[in-house]
Amino acid sequence: MKRGLLLLGLMLLPGLAAAVPGLTAITVTPDGQGGETWSVSIQIVALMTALTLLPALLLMMTSFARILIVLSILRQALGLMQAPSSQILIGLSLFLTFFIMAPVFDRIYSEALTPYLDEKISLPQAAERAKQPLRQFMLGQTREADIAMFARIGKEAEYQTPADVPFTVLVPAFVTSELKTAFQIGFLLFIPFLIIDLVVASVLMSMGMMMLSPMIISLPFKIMLFVLVDGWNLIIGTLASSFYL
């Protein structure tokens, strides 16, 4: 997890190494009177500021959004408003995200971060190398129609190859595609549970039990159906495999 956050943060820093090679955290300067003056490098301040954008990167440039939306829709379809809790869904989505993104993070670590830490390449070069695996992942999940829409809005020229798509177009197109995919999966999840609700409501209506809420009766049946088909295994397995089809 820490490696993934560091790799995402690396791509925010394309220009920090322009002044000097490397990041000096603390500078000690003699004051001429036998003492010393300690100062923090402005590059470290910029680095810590850039790290505050990591949550946005995690949400918008990884598989996190799709997973969380699908799990939230699943909870709604089951009729369970508070179980599993939002904290559990976020935690599950986070760990699934790092599992799914592990090949991407490993490539960034070996191709960009490790050479930079060994001082073999500069920070801008490391940032450029770190973009490529993430770009490849996002392009694989992004619809061409969404890329074309944002290119048209931004009055961009037609792209000849995927490498020509800039990040300013790719990121919003990726997010839009992820939202579409998440809602499509959520719609399919809703259908079997909706059928159970309709059947229970019809039975109660035919029996004249109109004062009894159908949700109370249908909830145990929906939970039983979800358990019998091993729902968690199906949902999590399908979500994980959907990113590498």
Side-chain angles (χ1 to χ4, degrees):
M1 290 173 55
K2 292 181 179 179
R3 178 188 294 183
L5 292 176
L6 287 174
L7 297 176
L8 287 174
L10 177 64
M11 290 178 295
L12 290 173
L13 307 172
L16 290 184
V20 295
L23 296 177
T24 303
I26 298 176
T27 302
V28 180
T29 305
D31 59 7
Q33 299 178 357
E36 296 175 336
T37 301
W38 295 63
S39 62
V40 179
S41 171
I42 189 63
Q43 294 174 324
I44 294 299
V45 176
L47 173 63
M48 299 307 296
T49 303
L51 290 178
T52 61
L53 298 177
L54 285 181
L57 290 176
L58 180 65
L59 287 172
M60 298 293 99
M61 300 174 67
T62 66
S63 58
F64 182 83
R66 183 193 301 188
I67 297 171
L68 183 59
I69 292 173
V70 170
L71 293 180
S72 299
I73 293 177
L74 173 64
R75 183 176 64 178
Q76 184 81 15
L78 284 169
L80 300 171
M81 298 298 102
Q82 299 297 331
S85 65
S86 298
Q87 291 84 351
I88 293 177
L89 293 184
I90 293 174
L92 179 59
S93 302
L94 184 63
F95 280 97
L96 280 176
T97 297
F98 281 107
F99 172 78
I100 293 169
M101 300 295 295
V104 178
F105 290 155
D106 287 341
R107 282 190 58 193
I108 297 175
Y109 182 79
S110 60
E111 297 176 8
L113 186 58
T114 299
Y116 170 70
L117 294 178
D118 293 339
E119 298 183 355
K120 295 180 180 178
I121 59 176
S122 64
L123 187 56
Q125 290 174 324
E128 187 61 32
R129 288 190 183 185
K131 286 182 181 180
Q132 301 310 315
L134 197 58
R135 172 191 290 273
Q136 183 178 351
F137 170 80
M138 290 194 293
L139 283 172
Q141 314 303 321
T142 306
R143 295 173 171 84
E144 293 183 2
D146 294 325
I147 295 178
M149 179 189 68
F150 282 100
R152 184 174 63 255
I153 294 174
K155 298 180 180 179
E156 298 279 348
E158 184 177 351
Y159 306 120
Q160 301 298 325
T161 63
D164 297 333
V165 181
F167 252 56
T168 53
V169 172
L170 179 58
V171 173
F174 170 76
V175 174
T176 303
S177 294
E178 286 294 282
L179 291 176
K180 289 180 182 179
T181 304
F183 277 92
Q184 288 174 352
I185 297 174
F187 170 76
L188 296 177
L189 286 176
F190 243 104
I191 292 177
F193 301 115
L194 180 60
I195 293 174
I196 293 177
D197 286 333
L198 291 174
V199 171
V200 171
S202 299
V203 171
L204 292 178
M205 185 70 68
S206 64
M207 296 175 62
M209 304 175 65
M210 292 177 291
M211 300 302 295
L212 182 61
S213 174
M215 293 294 297
I216 299 177
I217 306 301
S218 63
L219 180 58
F221 290 100
K222 290 191 288 187
I223 294 177
M224 180 181 66
L225 173 66
F226 190 71
V227 172
L228 288 178
V229 300
D230 198 4
W232 287 115
N233 192 5
L234 289 175
I235 296 299
I236 293 176
T238 302
L239 278 174
S241 61
S242 68
F243 289 93
Y244 294 102
L245 293 177

